[in-house]
Structures are given as C-alpha cells and as structure tokens.
Amino acid sequence: MAPATDVPSSLMRALLLAAAVAAAPLVQASTAVAQTAQATADFTAPAQTFGRVSYDARSLMINGKRLVIWSSEMHPFRLPSPELWRDVLQKMKASGFNTVAFYFDWGYHSPKQGVYDFTGIRDLDLLLKMSEEEGLYVIVRPGPYANAELTRGGFPGWLVNQRAPSRTDSPEYLAAADEWMTQINGIIARHQINGDGKGNQGSVILYQIENELALTTPAHRRYMDHLYAKARADGINVPIFHNDQGRNGYWAPETSPVDKVVHGPVDLYAFDGYPGGTCTVGGQVTRGAAAPDWGFYGPGGAKGGASASPSTPGFMAEIGGGWFDYWGSNGGYECNARQRGERFQRVFYGVNLANGITLQSIYVGFGGTSWGWLAAPVVFTSYDYGAAISEAREIRPKAEEMKQLAGLLESVPDLAGMIPAGPVEISSPNIQVYHNRSPETDARFLLVTHKPSNGQTNDDFTVTASLPDGRYVVPMTLNGFDAKWLVAGVDLAGQRLVYSTSEVQAVLPSARQPVVLIHGRKDEPGQTMLRFASAPTVTVLEGQVRSAFDAAAGDLKLDYAHQGLARVKISGGGRPDLLLLIGEEKEAARFWRQGDVLVRGPALLRHARIDRGQLLLTGDTREATPLELWSSQAVRSVRWNGATVATRTTASGGLEARSALPGPADFALPVLTNWRAAPGSPEAKPDFDDRDWQAIDNRAYASNTLRPDGQPNMLMDAYGFHEGDVWYRGRFEGGPNAETIELFYGAGGAGMLQLFLDGELVGQDELPTGMPRPITTGMARFTLPAAARTPGPHVLSVMVRNNGHNWNLDANDFHKEARGLVSASVGPRSGPGFSAPVAWKIQGRQGGEDFTDTVRGVANNGGLFGERNGWHLPQFDDTGWSAATVGQPLQAGVTWYRTGFDLNVPQGQDASIALAFGDIDKPRSDTAYRVLIFVNGWHMGQFIANVGPQRVFTLPEGILNARGHNSIALAVSTDGAPGNVLEDVRLITQRNVRGGVQTTTEGGRR
C-alpha cells in the first residue's frame, strides 16, 4: 500500500470524509429524512397463479421465484432481416435484460382482408423461438391496435374502408379483429411458458390485450371483454394486461378497490410514461422535470400509477428509453440518446424500482427502421429512438449504464419484492433517500438522489440508518444529476455486505475464489463495509484502497476513490476468500457476466459456455482488445469465436490472454458511379394509356374527412391503394372557366402533391413540417396556364405522395383521415361561372392490395410507375436507360437512377453500412427534392432534402449483401427548378466489429 504522501487527492477526499463521519456521534442532527411511503399497496393480498407465472402486490414470480422483470422492447417489423433479430436479442441479453417485449403489426401481415402472411421477414414463430433460445422471457403486444408510430397505428390498409367504428364492439370491426387475433394468438399460444397443451412451449409470460385505449364507454368495455374472451378461447393462459396511456387508472383489475378507477377484463394493471426533458435546436439537452413517484412514494389513487391496483405489482409496460423524432426537426436521435441516456436512466428507472415498479419495459431498447411505408406521419424513416442499441445496431454508451443497473438486479435478487422500510436521516436538505427492504431477508436498498432528482448540485453528506447489521453513519457523495443505490445487509458469494456506497454490478460465486465487482463514478469516494468473525487478511493487488477492522463489531471497512480498477483480495476471517474488484464507472462497463463466467475486455460478450473444461466465448471487438476472465468452474482452455486463445493465470486468480483479441480489419467502400437514369412519370403525359385505370365513382365513403357535396369518392384507399404514391388522371374540355384548380388532398407527414396539365408541371404543394404532430391534409390552389382555356380535350395528372396514415391513438378513427385526393374543382378565378367538369381516373388495379411482391410485402409496394414495373428490383434490365451523373438537371416529376456496387466486408466481421446524401452535418439542404431509396429491391427509406433531418439511411445486412453484388435504385422527385437536383450520394460505414452473428442470406436473394 502506498504511503499517505502518495494518496491521490480523490482518495484523500474519501478518507477525510470517512474520518469526519467516524468522529461524529452515532446519531447526528439531520436536516432531512427519507421519502415517506404511502399505503398504496396491499401486501396482504393473496398471490394469483397462472401456471408457472404468478404475482402478488410485490412482484411477478416464475416457478415461485420473485423476479424484477427488466424488459427491453424491439419491433421485428423494423428490422427486415430475421438473422439480425438474433443479434439484437443477444445484445439485450448481454446488457442484462431478462425479458424482451414485442409489438406485432396487424397490417404488416395482412395486405388484404382474409389474407395473412407469417413467412420470411414476418416469421413470428422464428422470432419467439429465437427469444427462448437466447434466454429471454417475452411480453407480447399483439394489438389489434399497436400505435408504435406505425401507419394506421398498425391497422391494415383495408380496414380504412370499414365504416364501422374501430376499437369498439361494432360487429363488423370485431369480425375483422377476430381474423387477426385467431392468426396471431395461434402463434403466441405455442410459445407460452405454460405451453399450449399440445406439446409446444416457449418463454411468453405476459400478453397485452389492447394498447392505450383511453375511452371507457360501455361499447369500449364490451370490446375489451370480447378481446379477453377471445384470447382465452384461443389458448392464451398467461396473465393479460392493458397498457394505460399515461396514468388514468383505466382498465384496472376488478379486484382494485381504488376510487375512480375504470375496471376492465385484465389480470394486471400496467401503464406507461415518458418523463424527462427535451432536445432543442442545436441538439442541446434539457433535463426537464424530476423523476415522478408512481408507486409506494407517490400520491396514490387512480391517477398515481401503480397505486391504481394495490394487489398487483407495479408494472410500466413502457418507460421512455428515448423518443421519436419528426419531419423537419432540429434535434435528431443522438440528442434523444443523450437526453434519456446516462444518469437519466439511473435516476428515472431507479426511482421506479424504489417505488415498487418491479416490471419495467424500456420503450425501446432497439428502434430500427420504419422502412418502406411503415411510418406514421409523425416520424420519418429512422426509428432509432435514441435507444440503447442504435439503428445501426451499435451499443451506445447508455447501454453500458443499463448493463450496470441490470447487473445489480441479477446480483442481488433480494431486490425483487422489496417494500418500504421506514425513515432514515440525511445530513443535507439537497438529498432524498428511498429506503426499502426485503421482507424475507431484511436486505436494504437505499436509492439516493437529489431533491428534486433533477438537481445539479455537488454534495458530500451522510445517511444515518438502522441497517440489518447495526446503526451506521454512511458517507456519500452525489455530484450533479445522478442517483445511487446503497445496498446493505445482503449475503453475496459467501460474504456479508454490511453496506457499500459503490454499486454492485456482478457477483461470481466460486468454490475456489468468489468475485464481486462494484463500481462508482470516476474520482468520487467510496466505502464498503464487510462483516467477519475475526480479522481477515487484506491484500491490495492493484490500486489505492485503505482498510480498517473493527474487532468489536467484526466490520472490515474499505475506503477508496473510484479510479481505474482496484483489486483487493480478502482472506480468512471465517469466510471464503474473496476477490473484490472496485472500478470506476467506465472501467466497470468493460465487464460482462454470462452464467458462470465474468469477462473483462471485449466490446460485447454474446455467449459463454464451458464444455468439458473448455470455455467457449463468442462476442465482438471494435479494436485489438485484452481479455481477462474469471470462472466458477475449472477451465483448461479458452476459445474466442472459435479460435484458440493462449492464456496465463493472473495474480487476481483469473486467466488473461497472452495477446490481445484481434479487432476488425479496415475495408474500402466503393464509390457509387456508372449511374443510369430514366424519366419516371409517364402518367403525366397526355397520351399515356390509362384505359385499364379505374374510373372514380360514388362507392361507399368511409373516411371521417369532410368533402364537398356532390363529389365522387376520390380517396386512394377506396380503390385499394393504401401505401405510398398514387396517380390520378382527369379529362376536361378547355374553356374560359378553366382558370384555377383547387385540390383538397391528404398526404400524411411532409406529404406532397404534383399537378401536371397536358404533360407540363403546373405546380407542387407540400404540407408543412417542423411540428411533432404534423398537418396531414391540405388545399393546393394553382392558376392554370392559358392552354387550359384552349378549346378541346385536356389532361390533368396528379401525383400524391402519401407519407402514412394517422395513428388512432385517441380511438376516434383518425386513421381514416383521407389520403389521396378528396376533391378537385376547376373553375374561374373569381366572379360568376361554372366549374369545368372533370372525368377522373385512378391508377390501375396492379399494386395496391393485389401486389405480386409478396416476399417484401405490404411496406415495399408503392404506386410509382417504376415500382409497378419492377424498376427497383435487382434483376431489372436498365441497359436501355441513359448514362447519368448525380447533380445533372432534372425534369419535373420522377427520375429514376440505378447503379450497382460490390462489397467485400471481411469474413468474421459485422459492419453496418449506410447510404448518405449531401452534407450529413446539416439537418436539411438548400435544394428541394425527394428520394425513395431501394437497395436490392427493398424500399429502405425516403430522403427529403429540404425538410430533413435524416440524411443517413442504415442498410442492414441481409438486405445488403456484405460480400457480393448489390443494386441500388433511387426514385427522385423534383419540381424541375434549377438547383433542385440530386446531391452527392455515397456509402459510409456506421460501425465495424469483428464478430457478429452468422448470416447466411444475401441481399436481393428474395
């Protein structure tokens, strides 16, 4: 141990603080007391049992064992590469989550009423099997309504034409919903943890009956009753819940005695919440409100969160793990990642745990891509969400903090089912403490935050508490926006932890040498107290740690600052030997716990398995990385991703690799050249053959958008077109009244309309952007050119870019708002006169609900001429197209570009590659154009240059062929004005690791 003169200032601070506490009287005059719990939970309520799943007011139980359900959500439909589902699931498991939550999208599987597809990218049997194989419990959220920032909130396109009100007990709607529930429940039932009675079994533990239904009329109660009965009839045998939109006390179990709750046919009450600050212009983060108390320490009542159902455990079906971004924003997802990132997670998720919310599902852990036409108007293509795992499947720094929180839950199972423990004393008015205990073991958990929890001060203070091993004055430090768990009175790996102001991250029991990893913020002081029968031997193997033993109490006190990684070996004292690792936060984040193995070094540890003395490790490295490990079992040899690793024994009792694990090799990306181009708006030409197009008629009108009396039904949905672009053509006789045209249209977020007269662009109209809730319909008014008044036939051609149908969050049929043209009127500029009659047609029946590309499915089938004729597909022959260059002048309308490129990502590496447009540091361009992006035939996004903010589009492997040829097609829409041309288009590498999951398919193979 170093002499006192060599003690770093941070350690000296820790020692001085500890000395001041030791010199103080045992009971200090405190200026504050702990948070006071309310009587909002009924701990006397009997447990409810559903096969292997049960619960009471404290927690969920699996096979009778209490668990904190620590869940992270992903959406399989936002990653159209099933092999990469496993990659995300492994990253969630490695980050400490024990559960994964899935929304399912009804419309993704049903292009037409009565038609369902669960193959390929829609194979939910495969998804649920993968989840079980990766050791994750599953929460399913099958709808019928999802929301999830999906077009129509997850309803299928054909449902828009149903006049019956959705999300009610309307027989017509229920019949449609039952179609879906029969299909999806049949799959879910096979994967339940209780089995399906037919020999099938999986890991589904909870089932969501509906999502955020905030209307509670008798019609809605009957609807919910129907869904519950349908689920049970279809063999669902796990607990059923509904996710309350906020904290309203809607759809609580019948057992709830709370005044003003709305009872429903559910077993568990669950709610959601997205507290926190916002991202502002320039990507600045504001912290916003303090973490709310939605459980033990809250106000109680129907609107108090978990208190709406006193006899069931606190359950947050969604707690914000980020937030979605919108067309024309200035923030971006990196800002969202920081806002609900490090420290936010410790404070908000920690306060939830302290409030007894023992079921938490992070929305989302991985967001992915709203590829094709999946997106609702409120979002653009990327659904990165600022999540712990980025759209490019990169593990963000915030995921490291999540892993440390999860490590605490795994290492100290007493945390599951804790209840309020009573007041403690605090020496600072700036601090609040939540004090809980386990009724079974009396283990204590004290969550320490600022008061309010968004406070930014730096405080040294003490917490005085009667703990299981005595009454102690515990010195602590809290700098800025943060929260810390103080764990006391627990047994870990044969040791008795009296308390620690460092947080427990991993416990590795071992017959030879148990290992405990604890951590804290860099340079902040820490103190750990252990109980022994006699004085143990303390050997500091690395770092600066001071120890003192109180023989009367049997307490060994360790004082230190969190710097790098300290290693302390403790022997004797009546207990097994212990290796205590004390790391600063970022150093501790380098550790991964998988089963019987603790590993330090790699960017990701996916699996660890011991087979007859051989330790088989798989994972990722971002660079050449040292490897160190400890195991509960004897290990004779080590393999990393199949390769033998030469090791040696360390002074810490583990093994280390004699040389670093190799990192990924660099590789070059090709420059996109040899473009070919063709005009893509033949529908605008007056001589275009539209004989097979559908005549606009007076068929039934199901939309809730008002239209002028006497107008036919012009809506695109009425004719079977629900996704993407739609073309109309109208014929009229020229005359003096043909001076102006008014086109009322619906087009979703950042939607657009182009009008042509006799093949010449009259004008373009764009819906306004830059709002979290965009305007989704508009009136386009144009002055017609003089040619319109020339006697004889004329042709109007109109293209509407539909960027998604509204969601139906408020159960008001908002998803039925008009898309396409609503009305059209050609008439005089002013004064008396009659409108010129126009005979309208809408594009032919090809596409819409009757598309042929069933492999890519609903989301990939839009209405452009090039899409309907396969110009986006890899096998299309473009040799007849003209050679082109990016940046060349473009005609008004759509111009298609195509080229090919080869990739050669080294074997054994996982690279995320993206397509970038122009200056990626700018949220939007000075030039105006739009691009639909097709890679190997897959529609992977829409770039709107003058709207933004997205300029980089992730292309997942499986869609992209990482080791072979790829095709790219761009459908560029512009008004033809000078300068409104395609900017630089290039490939970029977003991440590159050595490792990854094995993928066997190639881009464009489907």
Side-chain angles (χ1 to χ4, degrees):
M1 298 178 69
T5 54
D6 294 337
V7 177
S9 59
S10 53
L11 178 57
M12 186 61 70
R13 178 186 173 197
L15 295 172
L16 290 173
L17 179 59
V21 171
L26 188 60
V27 179
Q28 298 183 331
S30 298
T31 57
V33 295
Q35 295 294 92
T36 302
Q38 309 297 317
T40 58
D42 181 5
F43 298 125
T44 67
Q48 303 296 311
T49 300
F50 295 77
R52 295 173 62 191
V53 183
S54 58
Y55 58 83
D56 58 15
R58 294 165 53 198
S59 74
L60 200 76
M61 292 167 275
I62 306 293
N63 297 327
K65 178 182 177 183
R66 292 193 181 278
L67 287 177
V68 172
I69 297 300
W70 193 242
S71 173
S72 180
E73 179 142 348
M74 70 165 288
H75 300 153
F77 46 82
R78 284 189 162 113
L79 183 57
S81 183
E83 289 162 316
L84 296 186
W85 296 344
R86 190 178 297 277
D87 174 66
V88 174
L89 293 171
Q90 288 180 358
K91 287 170 178 171
M92 288 181 171
K93 180 68 173 178
S95 297
F97 291 100
N98 58 21
T99 305
V100 59
F102 297 124
Y103 264 138
F104 298 144
D105 179 352
W106 179 4
Y108 191 66
H109 297 270
S110 181
K112 192 173 184 178
Q113 187 160 12
V115 177
Y116 288 88
D117 185 358
F118 294 95
T119 63
I121 60 172
R122 292 169 289 278
D123 189 345
L124 299 186
D125 256 320
L126 176 63
L127 174 77
L128 295 175
K129 181 181 178 182
M130 277 185 185
S131 303
E132 182 188 12
E133 290 171 346
E134 296 303 334
L136 291 163
Y137 297 120
V138 177
I139 300 171
V140 291
R141 311 213 289 159
Y145 181 73
N147 202 59
E149 290 70 66
L150 289 167
T151 184
R152 299 174 298 271
F155 282 154
W158 53 264
L159 197 70
V160 173
N161 292 325
Q162 188 180 92
R163 303 186 75 177
S166 66
R167 304 181 78 185
T168 71
D169 66 342
S170 162
E172 188 181 1
Y173 169 72
L174 289 182
D178 280 355
E179 265 192 20
W180 163 245
M181 303 313 293
T182 297
Q183 297 282 336
I184 191 63
N185 287 344
I187 296 172
I188 293 169
R190 294 195 292 271
H191 294 275
Q192 295 173 106
I193 195 169
N194 295 326
D196 65 352
K198 302 175 183 178
N200 302 303
Q201 192 173 14
S203 59
V204 173
I205 58 172
L206 294 169
Y207 176 104
Q208 181 173 299
I209 191 175
E210 234 270 6
N211 186 60
E212 298 180 317
L213 181 61
L215 294 182
T216 58
T217 70
H220 293 94
R221 172 61 199 250
R222 291 191 294 270
Y223 167 52
M224 293 287 280
D225 285 341
H226 178 92
L227 293 180
Y228 187 94
K230 173 65 174 167
R232 293 298 186 212
D234 287 342
I236 301 302
N237 55 36
V238 296
I240 289 175
F241 69 97
H242 168 268
N243 172 36
D244 193 0
Q245 184 188 147
R247 291 142 307 282
N248 305 295
Y250 294 163
W251 312 118
E254 298 287 358
T255 56
S256 174
V258 176
D259 186 37
K260 296 182 180 179
V261 302
V262 175
H263 294 108
V266 296
D267 305 305
L268 291 165
Y269 173 72
F271 61 98
D272 61 25
Y274 289 84
T278 59
C279 290
T280 59
V281 175
Q284 297 301 310
V285 172
T286 59
R287 289 296 177 192
D293 292 315
W294 285 332
F296 296 157
Y297 299 91
K303 296 184 180 298
S307 60
S309 181
S311 62
T312 61
F315 183 3
M316 287 204 73
E318 297 177 24
I319 174 65
W323 191 244
F324 59 83
D325 205 6
Y326 54 91
W327 290 109
S329 80
N330 292 301
Y333 281 122
E334 287 304 323
C335 185
N336 283 328
R338 295 193 304 275
Q339 190 279 315
R340 285 182 174 87
E342 295 174 294
R343 301 298 180 260
F344 170 94
Q345 298 170 134
R346 292 190 181 277
V347 171
F348 283 75
Y349 306 160
V351 168
N352 281 343
L353 287 167
N355 272 272
I357 299 173
T358 52
L359 292 86
Q360 285 192 72
S361 190
I362 311 301
Y363 190 98
V364 290
F366 169 75
T369 306
S370 295
W371 63 281
W373 300 109
L374 281 177
V378 293
V379 292
F380 45 85
T381 299
S382 175
Y383 198 72
D384 178 278
Y385 216 79
I389 304 172
S390 75
E391 183 182 14
R393 297 179 292 111
E394 179 65 90
I395 296 178
R396 281 192 167 105
K398 64 184 282 186
E400 298 173 348
E401 188 171 272
M402 299 277 272
K403 178 175 67 174
Q404 292 172 329
L405 280 167
L408 171 65
L409 299 176
E410 181 184 22
S411 300
V412 191
D414 313 62
L415 266 164
M418 58 185 176
I419 64 174
V424 299
E425 300 169 1
I426 313 157
S427 66
S428 170
N430 300 326
I431 300 298
Q432 61 186 352
V433 177
Y434 300 84
H435 180 204
N436 293 336
R437 68 181 182 87
S438 165
E440 288 78 19
T441 66
D442 201 32
R444 304 299 178 85
F445 308 94
L446 294 87
L447 181 73
V448 179
T449 70
H450 274 107
K451 189 175 184 178
S453 61
N454 59 348
Q456 299 291 313
T457 61
N458 297 336
D459 289 275
D460 294 327
F461 57 93
T462 60
V463 175
T464 303
S466 294
L467 302 174
D469 296 299
R471 188 166 176 83
Y472 292 89
V473 182
V474 182
M476 295 197 72
T477 295
L478 199 66
N479 291 325
F481 179 64
D482 201 356
K484 294 181 179 179
W485 282 100
L486 190 157
V487 177
V490 299
D491 296 321
L492 300 176
Q495 307 295 321
R496 180 65 175 180
L497 178 63
V498 177
Y499 68 79
S500 180
T501 64
S502 301
E503 294 180 278
V504 179
Q505 181 174 327
V507 176
L508 188 70
S510 172
R512 296 174 298 144
Q513 176 186 263
V515 182
V516 173
L517 170 66
I518 59 178
H519 72 272
R521 318 302 176 260
K522 180 176 173 59
D523 293 332
E524 290 184 8
Q527 188 176 92
T528 295
M529 192 86 74
L530 298 166
R531 176 65 57 87
F532 292 89
S534 59
T537 300
V538 178
T539 305
V540 179
L541 303 174
E542 185 178 344
Q544 299 284 341
V545 180
R546 296 296 179 96
S547 64
F549 183 69
D550 181 342
D555 287 345
L556 173 68
K557 182 171 67 175
L558 304 175
D559 287 295
Y560 45 84
H562 296 97
Q563 294 178 326
L565 182 67
R567 305 168 188 246
V568 181
K569 184 175 182 179
I570 304 172
S571 306
R575 296 191 181 277
D577 290 355
L578 171 69
L579 175 64
L580 181 65
L581 303 174
I582 307 171
E584 65 181 59
E585 186 176 21
K586 293 301 181 184
E587 180 62 34
R590 298 177 59 198
F591 283 81
W592 303 88
R593 166 76 189 278
Q594 290 276 11
D596 292 328
V597 180
L598 182 66
V599 172
R600 176 179 179 239
L604 174 68
L605 179 66
R606 295 178 182 271
H607 289 140
R609 181 170 62 90
I610 298 175
D611 182 14
R612 291 174 294 183
Q614 185 175 65
L615 175 57
L616 307 175
L617 303 174
T618 60
D620 301 352
T621 56
R622 296 191 189 97
E623 58 198 2
T625 307
L627 176 70
E628 186 175 12
L629 63 91
W630 295 263
S631 172
S632 295
Q633 300 181 40
V635 172
R636 295 192 302 272
S637 62
V638 176
R639 296 179 71 84
W640 172 259
N641 289 342
T644 300
V645 177
T647 61
R648 59 192 169 211
T649 303
T650 69
S652 301
L655 297 174
E656 66 179 5
R658 291 182 177 273
S659 57
L661 301 177
D666 292 332
F667 61 92
L669 290 175
V671 178
L672 299 179
T673 57
N674 300 319
W675 291 98
R676 305 188 74 81
S681 298
E683 300 95 333
K685 296 180 179 179
D687 58 353
F688 178 79
D689 184 357
D690 60 14
R691 285 175 296 176
D692 292 334
W693 283 32
Q694 303 175 70
I696 296 295
D697 56 33
N698 290 306
R699 64 188 61 192
Y701 190 83
S703 176
N704 50 19
T705 301
L706 296 178
R707 57 177 176 160
D709 292 339
Q711 287 275 355
N713 187 348
M714 302 188 74
L715 305 190
M716 61 187 290
D717 291 285
Y719 299 87
F721 300 103
H722 310 300
E723 322 298 337
D725 302 292
V726 64
W727 277 90
Y728 298 82
R729 284 168 59 85
R731 287 180 168 82
F732 70 97
E733 289 293 322
N737 287 337
E739 292 183 315
T740 65
I741 185 170
E742 290 187 346
L743 300 167
F744 181 29
Y745 70 106
M752 179 265 285
L753 174 150
Q754 286 186 332
L755 170 68
F756 298 82
L757 174 69
D758 298 334
E760 299 296 325
L761 182 71
V762 176
Q764 177 173 299
D765 190 77
E766 296 183 320
L767 296 178
T769 58
M771 297 166 285
R773 299 292 184 270
I775 296 170
T776 48
T777 62
M779 179 69 79
R781 296 179 174 87
F782 302 103
T783 298
L784 291 173
R789 292 177 288 284
T790 302
H794 296 279
V795 178
L796 293 167
S797 300
V798 181
M799 185 190 83
V800 180
R801 169 68 50 86
N802 166 29
N803 285 334
H805 291 70
N806 301 330
W807 56 27
N808 190 24
L809 181 61
D810 297 324
N812 58 359
D813 276 0
F814 195 31
H815 67 293
K816 296 179 184 177
E817 184 188 66
R819 289 296 179 264
L821 290 182
V822 181
S823 65
S825 177
V826 175
R829 189 174 289 110
S830 61
F834 296 96
S835 297
V838 182
W840 288 98
K841 285 186 172 184
I842 190 169
Q843 62 195 42
R845 290 177 177 81
Q846 180 188 0
E849 294 180 5
D850 296 311
F851 55 79
T852 57
D853 187 357
T854 57
V855 171
R856 295 176 179 87
V858 177
N860 211 81
N861 286 273
L864 290 180
F865 182 88
E867 291 177 276
R868 300 197 306 274
N869 289 277
W871 294 6
H872 59 301
L873 298 175
Q875 64 269 25
F876 177 75
D877 183 2
D878 60 16
T879 54
W881 288 16
S882 302
T885 58
V886 168
Q888 71 184 29
L890 299 177
Q891 295 179 348
V894 178
T895 301
W896 283 79
Y897 284 79
R898 282 178 57 93
T899 192
F901 59 92
D902 294 318
L903 290 176
N904 189 21
V905 177
Q907 290 290 341
Q909 292 184 198
D910 179 12
S912 293
I913 295 170
L915 196 69
F917 294 84
D919 185 350
I920 61 175
D921 294 325
K922 294 174 60 177
R924 61 191 55 85
S925 303
D926 297 327
T927 185
Y929 64 95
R930 298 168 181 240
V931 184
L932 302 185
I933 303 161
F934 296 89
V935 176
N936 295 323
W938 295 80
H939 178 189
M940 294 311 299
Q942 180 179 189
F943 171 54
I944 307 182
N946 54 310
V947 173
Q950 185 178 2
R951 286 181 171 273
V952 176
F953 295 80
T954 300
L955 310 176
E957 189 170 342
I959 298 303
L960 197 67
N961 184 356
R963 298 167 189 87
H965 188 72
N966 297 271
S967 72
I968 184 168
L970 305 177
V972 183
S973 300
T974 176
D975 62 3
N980 288 344
V981 298
L982 186 61
E983 297 169 271
D984 174 53
V985 185
R986 63 194 182 281
L987 297 169
I988 63 172
T989 302
Q990 293 178 291
R991 57 182 284 278
N992 180 27
V993 299
R994 190 181 184 97
V997 297
Q998 180 67 37
T999 57
T1000 58
T1001 54
E1002 298 178 350
R1005 75 284 186 197
R1006 299 186 174 101

